[in-house]
């Protein structure tokens, strides 16, 4: 699925959330979407979490 179709789908979902849930529901949906994006990027290896937070045992 192309990036254009994904962006269209996300825009439609956010529009429905805004229409039926209000601004707070929209902001909460966007926040959870960003968290999901970060988790997905870390799972795919596109985000180096150890470099961001340092290593747990860097002795």
């Amino acid at each position: 699925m192309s990036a254009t179709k994904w962006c269209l789908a996300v825009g439609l979902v956010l529009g429905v959330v805004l229409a039926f849930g209000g601004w707070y529901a929209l902001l909460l949906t966007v926040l959870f979407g960003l968290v999901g994006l970060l988790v997905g990027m870390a799972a795919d290896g596109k985000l180096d979490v150890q470099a961001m937070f340092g290593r747990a045992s860097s002795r």
Side-chain angles (χ1 to χ4, degrees), residues 23-53:
W23 285 103
Y24 292 116
L26 176 70
L27 293 176
L28 191 62
T29 302
V30 170
L31 177 69
F32 277 109
L34 290 174
V35 170
L37 175 68
L38 292 175
V39 169
M41 288 175 68
D44 284 341
K46 295 181 180 179
L47 182 66
D48 189 12
V49 179
Q50 289 182 353
M52 289 174 56
F53 297 110

Side-chain angles (χ1 to χ4, degrees), residues 9 13 17 41-44 54 57:
V13 168
V17 169
M41 288 175 68
D44 284 341
S57 59

